[in-house]
Amino acid sequence: MKLVVNGETRDVEPRAGQCLRTLLRESSHVEVKKGCDSGDCGACTVLVEGSPVHSCLYPALRAADREITTVAGLGTPEALSPVQQRFVDAAGFQCGFCTAGMVVTASAFDDDQRADLGEHLKGNLCRCTGYRAIREAITGGDLEPLPTSGKVGERVGAPAGRRVVTGAERYTLDHVPGGPDEVPGDVLHVAVLRSPHAHARITRIDPAAAEALEGVHLVLTHENVPQTLFSTGRHENRLDDPDDTLILDPVLRHVGQRVAVAVAEDLATAEEALRRIVVEYEELPAVFDPALAREPGAPLVHGDKDAATSRIGDPQRNVVAELHGGVGDVDLALARADVTVSGTWQTQRVSHVALETHAAVSWLDEDGRLVVRASTQVPFLVRDELARVLGLEPDRVRVFAARVGGGFGGKQELLVEDLVGLATLRTGRAVQYETTRGDTLSAMPTRHPFRVSVRLGATQDGTLTALALEVLSNAGAYGNHSPGVMFHGCHETVATYRCENKRVDAQAVYTNTVPSGAFRGYGLGQVVFGLESAMDDLARELGMDPYELRRRNVVVPGDPFVVTSYPSDGSEADDGLRYGSYGLDQCLDLVEEGMGRDGEPAPEGPQWRTGSGMALSMIATTPPRGHFADTSVRLLADGTWELNVGTAEFGNGTSTVHQQIAVSALGTTADRLRLRQSDTDVTRHDTGAFGSAGSVVAGKALLSACEQVADQVRTLAADLLGVGVRQVELGPTAASGAGRSVTLPELHAEGLRRNGAAPEAHGDEDAALRSVAFNVQGFRVAVDVDSGEVRILRSVHAVDAGTVLNPVQLRGQVEGGVAQAIGSSLFEEVRVGPDGRSPTVSLREYYVPRIDDLPDTEVRYADTYDTIGPLGAKSMSEAPYNPVAPALANAIRDAIGVRLFELPMSADRVWRATPHP
Ligand code: FES
């Protein structure tokens, strides 16, 4: 058939039943993205004869002789269409994986459609932005063009903006023959057979029929893969998590666990091969409830493991890790308190829903080294563990990331790279694996469900005298991130309040359910939900304003950070925490003042009740237990600067901030910077992009490198110009002083002549000290007591982020974090049935918020300067998530007079909780 795409015609032969999306991508139109396979996300939207369609649902044959337009046909990075230009000017994307589909859909809108985006953009999902910037791009008035270069503190757009909005920016699997991201040779494809049982032992597995199928190159089972235990969770210190996972394990511990893997010429053949593998199972008793899992006699999920060598807390009790301790005497304090409150709160499994699913492609380079391009937040940590598991020296493995289509913590794991790497080593061929949305939802790590019991006591004047937490975290079948999430979740939450009597008892427990893992907030959001809900109840019991109760009890500089013990040296420090700055008081004022202003009017009708609520949270500005970045900056022969930074860009905006830091420190402009990033062959070690470390850790390291190399260049220039070093000023093309100047290429040559090397400096940062940052969220809601619907009338969020490095970007991160948290507070849940099986296998069942589900959030900034962070800045990518659920719960409590203890606070749950006559 004739396929006409963006005005070009080619002859193609679609396969039977093929959809237009796969045909387009196989025809090199990789600007068309895949976020699902069920028409839910809109990332694959193209125009057919001018009308937007989800190309994953559109039969390829129907496209014959019809005019297809992709985002690349609307404009180019050099000549943007008006819609594309508005997405750039409004900063209407973060990771950008949804953007191609968004732009295509918006390009076909008329005025009526633009006026009703809730209806007409509901088929396009964005997980990063919270939609405010997208709405502004499509419907806003005049937009102030966003500069592409600027210093720290200025509004600056993402360097890749023009490429993202035209589909030219390449993501993990956007490789095409002959293109710049070409993968050598024809690529083989991976399909994975997954366990139908929650707990079972494979008693027999026979891959012979699968191996005999034409086009199949390899079948992997537990009988022919390395049996090195590891953890999919990745950390700077690999010993942080228990070694409890195998590439393929004869024991299956959750529904959806890998059973076998087929590698074939195409995906359909690989999937057919899976159907021919014969597997016999012995079913084992399973446990799904973490409270039952720790009871004596419960089925043991990892009872075959040794505690010492696997670093599992207690495999004979299903305990991954636990924390017990406290200061003072909580029971006595509760007995003596004027007022006490208590409750038990439960959070649910949440999926990250990064629009780009887990994916990797690997091959052998000309030296026989294994090369892996992965959708990862942690290329260096993946490289090291991959080498260990596959029995290779680390220098025989290269891992790098192209632009990553969203992460939210979900890509701080090793989930696909081991399979493609092993398949490439066995076949010598390029191999790729892209997880389906269904597998990503139901078989890949989710946010840890927590049960949080809180007991608080206070005197009548509102002084907190007792704070006790019992936390039970459901690790699922594997311990990846479970110790860290449990410790971190308790740590800053408990340390937020000054209280003489504190007690923490926390356990992370194995069950035969889908594993939990790292997720934005890293446990804080779960514990904050319980504690801040209880604080609201305490304020009610005391008859005290909730802001006032917080002001009276939160830590202030000079107070020690206390979790389970006082700092041994009598200082305010605990586990590396310091007050590099403090803006919680300002955040409370900003939200209280902002909530006093008008929001959306309440809907009319006797069934609507309105209420307000607030909550706060504290977070360490660098991830717990060590984070390292080693950067370098070099002056090139043409007078431009090469920046080498290990951190990946996945919508967190670190490449924009790094560019601003370099512009400020080197006196240059963004177009004269060459940023090389997230590649283990190109840059030195970087722990990775999580915990907002891209700005605070890598940014600080880069600032150091820039300042050092600038000093070198100024010294060279001072010698040539005959002036003092302090009088030399660096500009984009030259250094000048006393009315004279010398060009940067000349200074590069001078460096070579004198030192045998171009000016170059390394900056490394080992984040041993951690400042603290704060967030306060306020909501006003209306609740329909007849249906349980919750409408947000006003949302105000204040952040204590220190120096605002980029106001556009910071606002986007806060809006996105609040939006994601509203989704998980009100709708989102990966459900697990009584047999351990998840019915949540598509976005239709999961329900990511659409554009009309979210309010605009007013974002306000405390005015602080941090003495620990780079240029006074603190991290603020994941923290906005944390106070949202309790602030909403407190507002709902205010509206209907009933406390909700369980997430999500879905309409049916709210309705059931509401007293009805
Ligand atoms: Fe929309 Fe990432 S920018 S999904």
Side-chain angles (χ1 to χ4, degrees), residues 9-345:
T9 304
R10 68 170 73 179
D11 289 315
V12 292
E13 282 299 325
R15 296 185 294 276
Q18 186 172 19
C19 72
L20 179 57
R21 179 182 60 75
T22 57
L23 180 66
L24 286 168
R25 283 188 65 85
E26 287 166 12
S27 307
S28 299
H29 287 286
V30 290
E31 69 272 20
V32 180
K33 304 302 184 203
K34 171 191 173 181
C36 66
D37 266 319
S38 47
D40 296 320
C41 78
C44 66
T45 306
V46 299
L47 301 179
V48 177
E49 301 289 354
S51 296
V53 301
H54 289 178
S55 60
C56 69
L57 297 182
Y58 196 89
L61 277 172
R62 271 181 62 194
D65 299 320
R66 298 190 178 190
E67 187 75 40
I68 311 296
T69 306
T70 73
V71 72
L74 299 174
T76 65
E78 296 73 32
L80 302 180
S81 73
V83 172
Q84 289 166 331
Q85 184 69 57
R86 287 188 65 89
F87 267 78
V88 169
D89 290 342
F93 63 88
Q94 287 173 19
C95 81
F97 205 77
C98 70
T99 310
M102 288 277 180
V103 166
V104 167
T105 301
S107 71
F109 282 165
D110 59 26
D111 287 346
D112 289 343
Q113 290 167 321
R114 265 189 290 276
D116 187 7
L117 292 187
E119 175 62 26
H120 297 287
L121 204 64
K122 67 183 179 192
N124 289 78
L125 299 178
C126 175
R127 189 57 157 167
C128 300
T129 63
Y131 297 103
R132 195 270 314 158
I134 290 172
R135 187 181 294 113
E136 219 167 88
I138 299 174
T139 64
D142 290 343
L143 289 170
E144 196 183 331
L146 200 54
T148 53
S149 179
K151 294 182 179 175
V152 165
E154 296 178 356
R155 299 172 69 247
V156 181
R162 298 174 80 85
R163 293 174 53 77
V164 167
V165 301
T166 52
E169 185 73 356
R170 293 294 183 246
Y171 295 78
T172 312
L173 297 184
D174 292 347
H175 52 85
V176 297
D181 302 297
E182 185 178 21
V183 166
D186 292 336
V187 178
L188 302 179
H189 295 260
V190 165
V192 176
L193 181 66
R194 295 188 176 276
S195 172
H197 303 297
H199 201 188
R201 187 187 316 280
I202 299 172
T203 53
R204 178 173 165 252
I205 187 160
D206 182 356
E211 289 167 336
L213 186 65
E214 190 179 343
V216 172
H217 287 249
L218 179 69
V219 177
L220 297 171
T221 72
H222 67 273
E223 293 173 346
N224 65 356
V225 300
Q227 292 292 298
T228 302
L229 284 164
F230 68 106
S231 174
T232 61
R234 306 305 330 127
H235 305 271
E236 177 64 32
N237 181 352
R238 69 167 308 281
L239 303 181
D240 281 0
D241 279 346
D243 283 332
D244 58 9
T245 304
L246 292 170
I247 296 175
L248 290 165
D249 195 323
V251 178
L252 307 166
R253 297 177 172 85
H254 68 95
V255 173
Q257 181 172 323
R258 298 168 177 176
V259 171
V261 175
V263 183
E265 292 287 343
D266 56 67
L267 193 55
T269 304
E271 287 169 346
E272 174 56 30
L274 298 184
R275 288 188 277 274
R276 299 183 182 208
I277 299 173
V278 178
V279 193
E280 293 175 8
Y281 304 93
E282 173 198 355
E283 283 197 63
L284 301 171
V287 60
F288 306 111
D289 181 332
L292 298 178
R294 58 184 181 177
E295 294 292 321
L300 297 178
V301 182
H302 287 278
D304 54 336
K305 306 246 174 12
D306 172 66
T309 54
S310 63
R311 298 183 309 284
I312 294 172
D314 185 350
Q316 299 309 313
R317 289 190 297 135
N318 285 322
V319 172
V320 186
E322 55 192 325
L323 167 68
H324 303 282
V327 297
D329 186 333
V330 161
D331 290 332
L332 186 63
L334 284 167
R336 291 181 176 169
D338 294 332
V339 176
T340 61
V341 296
S342 62
T344 296
W345 283 263

Side-chain angles (χ1 to χ4, degrees), residues 694-711:
S695 298
V696 174
V697 184
K700 195 169 179 182
L702 182 66
L703 176 63
S704 168
C706 287
E707 289 175 340
Q708 291 176 58
V709 77
D711 280 348

Side-chain angles (χ1 to χ4, degrees), residues 532-612:
E532 287 297 297
S533 296
M535 286 296 288
D536 194 71
D537 283 346
L538 184 62
R540 288 178 182 281
E541 286 293 320
L542 290 164
M544 184 176 279
D545 176 84
Y547 293 89
E548 192 51 37
L549 179 65
R550 267 60 169 210
R551 287 189 184 100
R552 206 165 279 202
N553 290 289
V554 293
V555 289
V556 296
D559 286 335
F561 292 111
V562 178
V563 183
T564 55
S565 62
Y566 285 98
S568 54
D569 59 359
S571 73
E572 65 191 22
D574 178 82
D575 201 15
L577 285 187
R578 296 283 188 284
Y579 296 96
S581 57
Y582 184 84
L584 178 53
D585 47 353
Q586 293 182 52
C587 289
L588 285 164
D589 292 348
L590 287 166
V591 171
E592 187 172 26
E593 194 272 332
M595 289 300 295
R597 298 185 199 166
D598 286 344
E600 289 283 314
E604 290 183 7
Q607 75 276 30
W608 290 99
R609 311 276 190 276
T610 59
S612 297

